[in-house]
Amino acid sequence: MGYAHRAAAGGAVAAVVDVPHGRHAFETVDPTDESRDAIRRAMRAVLGRLGVPDTGSPVEA
């Protein structure tokens, strides 16, 4: 059973952000448009869970 399934089974809210061409530390070692988008999506998800409204403005990663 993978991470997302275990998290859901335990009642946690979790999402998987897939970066097919990413490698370990992709956000710092080899930043691409794909990796920057993944970081933005993850940041918005966390902020949303904290109740911070999405203003629609770009989030710099």
Side-chain angles (χ1 to χ4, degrees):
M1 184 183 296
Y3 166 77
H5 290 107
R6 288 193 310 270
V13 175
V16 175
V17 177
D18 187 29
V19 183
H21 301 103
R23 61 181 185 180
H24 183 74
F26 65 84
E27 73 281 8
T28 56
V29 174
D30 189 22
T32 63
D33 288 341
E34 182 182 42
S35 66
R36 283 186 285 276
D37 180 58
I39 297 299
R40 285 184 193 103
R41 289 172 38 208
M43 289 173 60
R44 285 190 176 117
V46 170
L47 292 173
R49 291 291 296 159
L50 294 173
V52 177
D54 185 353
T55 63
S57 64
V59 176
E60 292 301 319

